[in-house]
Amino acid sequence: MSDISDREFINELFNGMLRPITKKEELDTWIAKIDHGSTWQDVLKEFTASVEFHLRVQGIIDSVVGSRRKKAV
């Protein structure tokens, strides 16, 4: 992954874990963190600790659990 730019990294992070970035400000916020010394690992940790990410994961879990058929008893 070292062949990609910081912007590409952030875009891939969003695309893979949440959704495409729709606002330039979202991208700029994360790029600023890197510009001020955060590593990609720091950004990944902060990203996965975010409320937005946890809500996305919970939504996926809820949709999978809610769609499963109940086992016959």
Side-chain angles (χ1 to χ4, degrees):
M1 274 187 85
S2 61
D3 294 346
I4 67 172
S5 71
D6 293 338
R7 287 185 178 277
E8 291 169 320
F9 171 73
I10 298 299
N11 274 315
E12 290 297 321
L13 197 59
F14 264 83
N15 287 334
M17 299 181 131
L18 287 176
R19 62 189 168 20
I21 293 177
T22 57
K23 298 177 186 172
K24 183 181 180 309
E25 294 81 19
E26 285 181 306
L27 177 62
D28 291 345
T29 297
W30 290 99
I31 292 297
K33 291 176 185 295
I34 293 170
D35 289 346
H36 288 97
S38 291
T39 65
W40 285 7
Q41 291 81 9
D42 295 334
V43 169
L44 180 58
K45 286 177 186 176
E46 188 173 343
F47 188 91
T48 56
S50 71
V51 171
E52 184 178 24
F53 178 73
H54 284 270
L55 290 174
R56 171 78 169 139
V57 170
Q58 189 61 54
I60 292 168
I61 292 168
D62 292 346
S63 69
V64 170
V65 172
S67 67
R68 293 183 68 175
R69 294 183 182 162
K70 293 186 177 187
K71 293 182 179 182
V73 181

